[in-house]
Amino acid sequence: MNIIELFENAGIYKENLRDFSPEDIEKARRQFEIERSGNSNLQPDLGDNLVLAMTNFAGQLLFISNNRILYNFFSKKNYSRNRFSSDYTVSSSKADVQAFIDKFLSKDLDSILDQLIEQNRFDNIDDLLEVKEYLPENSLENLSKKLSEKLDFAANSINGSLQLNDINRTVEFLKYRSFYVLVSHFRSAEKDEKIKTVYNKVYNLHSNSAVRHELMNPMISSLVNYNAVNFELNNLFRKNKDALDVANERVTDSGGSSGLSGWSIFAIIVIILRVIMALARA
């Protein structure tokens, strides 16, 4: 639990709240005792930290409580925009909000991000990054490092012995558009090379065409969402996506007009994908 969850559970929030009263602070203390009675593992300084935030950093706490993305993320709620349609706009500098999150919420922030990456819930992280200017630099650097490690893991996992039933357990995330959108927030020449390495390893699965096909099609479709530093890499991903779209249209037309079997369609796709490989190396 973090101080925003405790703040939420204490029911302190009121629309157009401008400051915290002694009654609000007492609510925070009482709620901490309630939470502690049911959870012996609760951080012993959690209640004191919320009181400290309310007393000395009220502006930053109010800013977060009025920001839909930040508040929902740290409170683990999913309030609609209507919950944040206050007439009173709380202002706080980006540096002050960063410092507040770094002081009170950074451990929880890093823990949640690590969990989301492990669970391949990249959309949730991308939503948070809409307000990344308020996040501490250390947390963003840690997130970038975790994404690089994810790409390294994929490169090490893709080999000739990779089986179809291993894909979901290991490299399923390579099919996801949301993964490449997220990596684009931290694009660099180094990440370009890591993505290119993974891309080439998928293409080089000559001995296992079924696995290559299972990964290749969705990966090609999703890779166009990575905004590479290398302009030529972007062009390559776009060419391959266009070629795949044409191939799929031809297979669909052939299947509808001549009643090709599933294996025949698969064989056609494999041939077309070999052409795409040639394009990739051109």
Side-chain angles (χ1 to χ4, degrees):
M1 176 175 283
N2 61 64
I3 64 169
I4 303 301
E5 288 178 273
L6 183 60
F7 178 87
E8 162 71 16
N9 293 347
I12 296 169
Y13 174 83
K14 297 184 288 290
E15 192 172 3
N16 296 324
L17 184 64
R18 295 169 182 257
D19 209 343
F20 299 109
S21 67
E23 291 77 16
D24 293 328
I25 292 175
E26 185 57 31
K27 276 185 182 181
R29 290 197 173 104
R30 284 201 306 269
Q31 187 62 37
F32 173 70
E33 294 303 325
I34 292 171
E35 302 284 353
R36 187 167 63 173
S37 67
N39 183 1
S40 59
N41 295 322
L42 208 64
Q43 309 95 299
D45 59 349
L46 180 66
D48 290 339
N49 281 341
L50 178 55
V51 170
L52 176 63
M54 294 170 69
T55 304
N56 293 348
F57 303 94
Q60 290 75 55
L61 180 55
L62 286 169
F63 179 88
I64 290 175
S65 72
N66 282 273
N67 183 286
R68 179 182 63 86
I69 294 174
L70 289 172
Y71 191 78
N72 278 341
F73 182 85
F74 287 114
S75 68
K76 300 180 175 69
K77 299 294 182 182
N78 190 27
Y79 289 119
S80 70
R81 295 181 185 276
N82 292 335
R83 156 68 167 69
F84 303 91
S85 57
S86 171
D87 294 331
Y88 173 58
T89 302
V90 180
S91 62
S92 186
S93 72
K94 293 176 184 178
D96 285 347
V97 176
Q98 277 185 343
F100 180 91
I101 293 175
D102 194 38
K103 179 178 179 63
F104 293 107
L105 296 162
S106 60
K107 288 182 180 179
D108 203 61
L109 171 61
D110 293 345
S111 175
I112 295 172
L113 290 176
D114 287 351
Q115 186 179 49
L116 290 173
I117 288 177
E118 184 177 346
Q119 296 170 349
N120 294 336
R121 293 165 58 190
F122 309 115
D123 280 335
N124 297 74
I125 304 175
D126 191 54
D127 289 344
L128 176 66
L129 293 184
E130 288 185 32
V131 291
K132 68 180 179 181
E133 67 268 26
Y134 298 109
L135 303 180
E137 286 299 324
N138 287 341
S139 293
L140 292 174
E141 289 173 5
N142 181 65
L143 176 56
S144 178
K145 180 182 176 183
K146 292 292 181 180
L147 291 170
S148 290
E149 290 173 356
K150 197 88 170 172
L151 288 166
D152 290 338
F153 172 77
N156 292 330
S157 299
I158 298 169
N159 52 54
S161 63
L162 184 67
Q163 300 298 309
L164 276 174
N165 57 8
D166 292 331
I167 292 176
N168 288 344
R169 181 177 56 82
T170 56
V171 293
E172 177 80 9
F173 65 90
L174 293 176
K175 302 178 183 181
Y176 300 163
R177 167 191 172 276
S178 57
F179 175 68
Y180 301 104
V181 170
L182 179 57
V183 177
S184 293
H185 285 281
F186 305 96
R187 71 191 192 116
S188 64
E190 179 188 14
K191 284 191 172 57
D192 281 7
E193 286 303 313
K194 288 179 183 292
I195 285 180
K196 189 175 180 181
T197 297
V198 172
Y199 166 87
N200 286 335
K201 291 196 77 170
V202 172
Y203 276 140
N204 288 329
L205 288 170
H206 298 298
S207 62
N208 199 332
S209 59
V211 172
R212 190 176 69 242
H213 170 68
E214 177 69 18
L215 273 175
M216 189 180 298
N217 283 9
M219 185 175 172
I220 288 172
S221 294
S222 296
L223 268 171
V224 292
N225 293 283
Y226 176 62
N227 184 20
V229 173
N230 185 335
F231 183 72
E232 292 181 359
L233 194 60
N234 282 330
N235 282 343
L236 171 63
F237 293 156
R238 172 49 59 189
K239 282 181 181 178
N240 285 349
K241 173 64 165 58
D242 291 344
L244 181 64
D245 288 344
V246 170
N248 286 334
E249 288 176 9
R250 287 176 179 171
V251 169
T252 300
D253 292 343
S254 297
S257 61
S258 60
L260 290 176
S261 69
W263 282 110
S264 297
I265 292 172
F266 176 75
I268 291 172
I269 291 177
V270 169
I271 292 170
I272 294 170
L273 290 178
R274 287 178 179 172
V275 173
I276 294 175
M277 285 176 63
L279 283 174
R281 292 171 177 171

